[in-house]
Amino acid sequence: IAHSKGGLETIYMIENLAMAEKIASVTTICTPYRGSSVANWVNGIPRPLHSLFVFCADAFYKILGDKSPDLRTALNQLNMRSEFDKEDMLRSCGIYWQSYSSRMNSPISDPVLSISYAISRHFERDFSDGMVSNKSARFADYKGDCLEESISHNEIVCYLTRPSKKKKVAGFYLELCNELAGKGF
């Protein structure tokens, strides 16, 4: 079970570390298979402002516990693309693959992601969790939004999540694990 860039790292493991035979199923949640319009927007701002933004964001995530944040590299890896070019390879490796998205209903749902939510909604005209559009998160057996209510990219991993939502998020993960166990995974 992988969230966000963790899904892309799973693909890296399969392609480059010969892990396909060790993986029975992959469930991705809000993985940007087709990139992120937020990354495109940030990569398009003038270089001095871009550098300041990256510095501030890395400092913020360092304060929150990330030992070596590297937003610049992540932004380059998340450039938008219309197609996901690894579908054939992943479909042929025999792994059960499913994906979920989530959505914020308004920018005030998660103040940390309010600006990126607005950018994503403006450029993609699709629902977004504040970082990844639902269109970008769709792959293989797409299950839809993981929760019916508004939930951000951060909240789905219980980061800055209100206690009432944490129970719903935990319920989603428990249900997901039970479903996978029921399928023999």
Side-chain angles (χ1 to χ4, degrees):
I1 298 172
H3 174 255
S4 192
K5 196 167 174 262
L8 301 179
E9 291 165 349
T10 301
I11 294 166
Y12 177 87
M13 289 175 18
I14 292 168
E15 281 188 306
N16 299 298
L17 303 177
M19 297 295 287
E21 61 196 38
K22 298 180 188 310
I23 300 171
S25 75
V26 174
T27 300
T28 60
I29 302 160
C30 308
T31 291
Y33 290 103
R34 291 162 191 84
S36 168
S37 61
V38 176
N40 279 29
W41 183 83
V42 172
N43 284 335
I45 61 178
R47 189 55 53 195
L49 192 56
H50 181 272
S51 294
L52 177 64
F53 178 83
V54 167
F55 174 80
C56 291
D58 282 349
F60 175 73
Y61 283 105
K62 198 170 250 186
I63 289 168
L64 295 176
D66 189 336
K67 292 181 177 140
S68 56
D70 185 4
L71 182 60
R72 187 177 313 278
T73 299
L75 288 169
N76 289 332
Q77 292 172 338
L78 296 174
N79 276 324
M80 287 290 292
R81 50 201 168 274
S82 60
E83 295 299 321
F84 177 59
D85 63 356
K86 309 227 182 266
E87 289 188 45
D88 291 337
M89 181 274 300
L90 292 172
R91 290 182 196 281
S92 69
C93 66
I95 297 171
Y96 172 69
W97 206 290
Q98 64 182 356
S99 62
Y100 287 86
S101 55
S102 70
R103 73 173 70 186
M104 287 173 57
N105 291 335
S106 76
I108 60 170
S109 299
D110 184 337
V112 172
L113 295 178
S114 61
I115 293 171
S116 59
Y117 168 84
I119 292 167
S120 180
R121 289 285 293 168
H122 174 75
F123 287 105
E124 294 187 58
R125 307 263 188 247
D126 188 19
F127 289 104
S128 164
D129 65 1
M131 289 297 289
V132 178
S133 73
N134 287 21
K135 181 180 179 184
S136 187
R138 286 182 184 126
F139 177 65
D141 187 6
Y142 176 63
K143 302 291 191 174
D145 289 333
C146 50
L147 292 178
E148 291 182 18
E149 68 183 74
S150 176
I151 188 151
S152 74
H153 196 79
N154 290 334
E155 291 174 313
I156 196 60
V157 289
C158 291
Y159 179 69
L160 302 174
T161 309
R162 294 182 302 279
S164 62
K165 271 195 184 176
K166 281 186 179 184
K167 287 182 181 181
K168 293 176 183 176
V169 170
F172 162 73
Y173 284 110
L174 286 172
E175 187 178 313
L176 175 60
C177 290
N178 286 332
E179 176 190 315
L180 289 169
K183 290 180 178 182
F185 300 122

